[in-house]
Amino acid sequence: MEKSYVTSSNSSEDESGVSAPKIRKQSAIISRGLNLCDLPLEILEYIIQYSDVKGHMRLRGVCKCLRDASNRTIMHDFRTALKYQKSLNPLNTTGSVLKTIEIATEAYIRSGLENPFCGILLSVLKSNYKEVNCRQLSLFIFHFFNLIDNGIEYVNDQQSVTLYNVTLIRLLKAFAGSRIIREKTKPYKVVINLMGAYLKIIWNSKPHAIERKDLLIMLTQMLSANMTDTAFRRASETSHAIHVFGNGELITDCMPCTTFTFIIGGSRKILSLFRSCFENNLENFNWPSNWPKNRYNFTFKISCEEKSTLPEGHED
């Protein structure tokens, strides 16, 4: 007697246990040729991690899939290096530069701007996080904020202004000698002293104005030096201004002090955001889930003087 076998047409798996949709997907891949994006994420990141810088940059330009994988790899490497550097005591130049980059860009990364961050970080640091110098810090800040100033998709002008203002305050708060010496509510006014910081405008063709990018380049160099207790003075010349900036005591018994005076006017939500930024330390700042969209007034003035460190009544 012959045995009959019935194969159900509803079966979604063959004898090997592989589902029909998976077989169709594999067949489609074979028919069109293997694409890098068909590889598992772990393998993609492995390929990117072991590519040289030029190869990595080329992969970023192929498609969004590879760019996203590249971003994950770069962010992982950056955060791993940053965590290690923060564990060192005292902090070295590499650690101070990476930490400064983190503070200067955190608001932008939290707003979804990982892509420009990762692209510029790769081109400037060349995937080398072991030895990073202040020149690379300046290059990174210049290119990153140049991109921001030229306008980026998904960031409107008002949001860009708010991200910059929050970043500026957080950079000032990061200085070891930073302290709020005066605060009042109507209008909302805050005065911050940076003891040890030196920032003077020698000449400016636009009175009471300073380019955002120029200010951030100087402040990040000052902050990096402040973290390693390094004294320096440097001149910076742009198309319409000359600044002298630095950190620490270069003249015996005379400590520089730079003062930022902020006046902010706007809605309760705006004032709450900036009050939180001024009053909380960097780790406890309550990042907003949605940045305020309404307009507001935000002005600041910078002054600098050198104060004697000699006790009162001292005579040479």
Side-chain angles (χ1 to χ4, degrees), residues 8 101 161 213 224 232 249 258 291 316:
S8 172
I101 288 175
V161 169
K213 182 172 54 186
S224 179
F232 80 96
E249 182 180 347
T258 297
W291 293 96
D316 293 332

Side-chain angles (χ1 to χ4, degrees), residues 236-279:
S236 171
E237 183 177 356
T238 64
S239 58
H240 59 266
I242 298 175
H243 307 90
V244 176
F245 65 100
N247 177 75
E249 182 180 347
L250 288 185
I251 302 174
T252 305
D253 303 326
C254 201
M255 179 64 72
C257 179
T258 297
T259 301
F260 282 75
T261 302
F262 294 89
I263 298 178
I264 305 170
S267 66
R268 184 177 299 177
K269 188 175 182 180
I270 287 290
L271 296 181
S272 176
L273 169 67
F274 287 112
R275 185 174 288 111
S276 173
C277 200
F278 279 115
E279 295 177 356

Side-chain angles (χ1 to χ4, degrees), residues 155-165 212 270 274 291-298:
V155 178
N156 58 47
D157 291 341
Q158 187 59 37
Q159 183 180 352
S160 179
V161 169
T162 302
L163 292 176
Y164 168 80
N165 291 337
R212 298 192 303 180
I270 287 290
F274 287 112
W291 293 96
K293 295 180 180 179
N294 43 326
R295 295 188 175 277
Y296 57 93
N297 295 319
F298 186 101

